[in-house]
Amino acid sequence: MAEQNFIDYVKICCKSGDGGAGAMHFHREKYVAKGGPDGGNGGDGGHVILRGNRNVWTLLALKYRKHVSAGNGDNGAGAQKTGKKGESIILDVPLGTIAKDVETGEVEFEITEDGEEKILVAGGRGGLGNAHFKTSTNQTPRYAQPGEDGITSWKILELKMLADVGLVGFPNAGKSTLLSVISAAKPKIANYAFTTLVPNLGMVKYRDARSFVMADIPGIIEDAHKGKGLGHRFLRHIERNATLLFMISCESDNIKAEYDILLSELEKFNEELIHKPRVLAITKADMIDDELKKWITSELPDDLPHLFISSVTNHNIQTLKDLLWEVMQNHK
């Protein structure tokens, strides 16, 4: 059910409100035969607005709402009365939501803070009434501006998870098992690849009542940067994690080669990812002896912090927390 409810990509058609027309009107009252122009301005059309909400974690509410329309502005009236502004539509989205234009694919903005509001599609401006055009040489302007039309535009909303630590690894590397042990999260766990199809977040308790957020990212595969195996949908979640915890099973034929493939996929997707602090956890360490651990260590890069862990026996789990906390503090 959680996988069905977690929606991280939607495409919606947004229509902002039309601006109201300015009024062409002249002042008339008893004993005033030829009053001056007093047409008011039209009201602005409503915007379509995105608002960050830390209590929302998915784009599910927008999955079946393909068309979003804001209200039109009212026309101006005599006595220089400005028309009422059109009602804006505010869409609550999770933190980490980015907005893109469908046609160009260009990223327009990103929502990162609770309560942050940004206009997705701006409403049309209201037209000016004829009172605005009165001059010393044109005392009775008999024209007013029409309101601007609203904008109809298709937008893509994508969600990137926000976490302190993101788990990176091939499918079935033990990421979900670690998250279930190290936090209160209950991700789906099974002995086959691609058990995890959506990111899972867990709050990890640390010493002295401190804590940090860990994200279990679905497993990536070689050529994920080309979109293989839903690679783009999985890789974009890694962009919003401060520290990366690479996880490779000790059952791997070549741990160093597997680590290089993972790092290469991140670099090809977004070069900035390789500059994030990273730690390597070699999982299922209860299955190997100390001699094999020494041999594996000799094959790893000297500047890569690493640990042998076992989520089943809790081997080095607290040490892993300490290492992650140290890395996070050093790179703040």
Side-chain angles (χ1 to χ4, degrees):
M1 182 61 71
E3 291 181 0
Q4 296 175 358
N5 290 340
F6 184 86
I7 303 299
D8 58 358
Y9 177 98
V10 294
K11 184 163 66 172
I12 58 176
C13 181
C14 300
K15 168 68 169 68
S16 61
D18 298 334
M24 200 283 291
H25 191 271
F26 294 93
H27 177 68
R28 292 290 183 267
E29 64 175 310
K30 193 174 183 180
Y31 307 120
V32 180
K34 295 182 179 181
D38 67 348
N41 300 334
D44 294 335
H47 307 310
V48 178
I49 298 171
L50 296 189
R51 178 172 61 193
N53 187 334
R54 62 185 176 190
N55 297 318
V56 177
W57 63 282
T58 172
L59 296 172
L60 178 65
L62 299 175
K63 180 179 180 181
Y64 303 107
R65 190 178 180 181
K66 294 299 183 183
H67 296 273
V68 178
S69 298
N72 296 328
D74 290 343
N75 296 334
Q80 298 195 34
K81 293 180 180 178
T82 300
K84 182 180 178 182
K85 291 184 178 180
E87 182 179 0
S88 293
I89 297 295
I90 299 179
L91 305 175
D92 283 334
V93 295
L95 307 187
T97 298
I98 61 173
K100 291 182 178 180
D101 183 83
V102 169
E103 294 185 0
T104 65
E106 181 182 355
V107 176
E108 297 181 346
F109 58 81
E110 181 175 359
I111 300 292
T112 58
E113 298 180 5
D114 184 49
E116 178 183 9
E117 293 186 2
K118 290 192 176 180
I119 297 175
L120 185 61
V121 181
R125 292 178 298 181
L128 300 175
N130 67 335
H132 182 83
F133 298 103
K134 179 181 177 181
T135 66
S136 59
T137 58
N138 186 6
Q139 297 288 322
T140 57
R142 299 183 180 277
Y143 50 85
Q145 277 186 337
E148 288 184 349
D149 292 334
I151 299 172
T152 299
S153 179
W154 281 91
K155 301 293 183 181
I156 291 174
L157 303 183
E158 291 182 353
L159 174 61
K160 296 180 182 179
M161 302 303 293
L162 292 166
D164 299 303
V165 178
L167 305 183
V168 180
F170 284 110
N172 212 24
K175 300 185 297 298
S176 297
T177 303
L178 174 64
L179 186 66
S180 68
V181 169
I182 208 171
S183 74
K186 300 299 179 185
K188 182 179 178 181
I189 300 172
N191 190 28
Y192 57 84
F194 288 110
T195 306
T196 302
L197 292 177
V198 299
N200 292 295
L201 290 179
M203 184 67 71
V204 180
K205 293 182 179 179
Y206 190 57
R207 305 177 189 273
D208 302 324
R210 292 173 292 185
S211 62
F212 58 90
V213 178
M214 179 176 284
D216 172 19
I217 308 298
I220 62 177
I221 60 177
E222 194 167 2
D223 288 334
H225 69 281
K226 298 179 181 178
K228 188 174 180 181
L230 298 180
H232 287 170
R233 293 189 61 181
F234 293 169
L235 284 167
R236 73 166 177 266
H237 292 296
I238 299 175
E239 293 181 307
R240 297 296 297 160
N241 296 287
T243 301
L244 304 181
L245 175 59
F246 287 74
M247 297 186 64
I248 301 176
S249 170
C250 68
E251 299 172 308
S252 171
D253 294 332
N254 191 327
I255 292 177
K256 174 62 165 57
E258 192 166 314
Y259 169 76
D260 289 339
I261 291 173
L262 290 169
L263 196 60
S264 175
E265 290 301 320
L266 299 190
E267 182 178 14
K268 291 173 181 176
F269 178 73
N270 183 346
E271 291 184 2
E272 295 181 2
L273 291 177
I274 65 171
H275 300 299
K276 291 180 179 288
R278 51 187 182 267
V279 174
L280 173 63
I282 301 165
T283 64
K284 307 177 185 179
D286 55 303
M287 301 171 58
I288 58 177
D289 56 23
D290 292 339
E291 184 176 350
L292 185 53
K293 290 178 182 178
K294 290 181 180 178
W295 181 83
I296 293 174
T297 299
S298 66
E299 297 291 312
L300 298 176
D302 294 333
D303 59 345
L304 176 64
H306 70 277
L307 273 177
F308 291 88
I309 67 169
S310 171
S311 300
V312 175
T313 65
N314 279 331
H315 175 62
N316 269 346
I317 296 300
Q318 183 58 51
T319 306
L320 177 63
K321 290 183 183 181
D322 293 335
L323 178 58
L324 290 172
W325 185 265
E326 180 183 354
V327 171
M328 286 187 292
Q329 300 309 306
N330 288 341
H331 288 83
K332 274 191 176 180

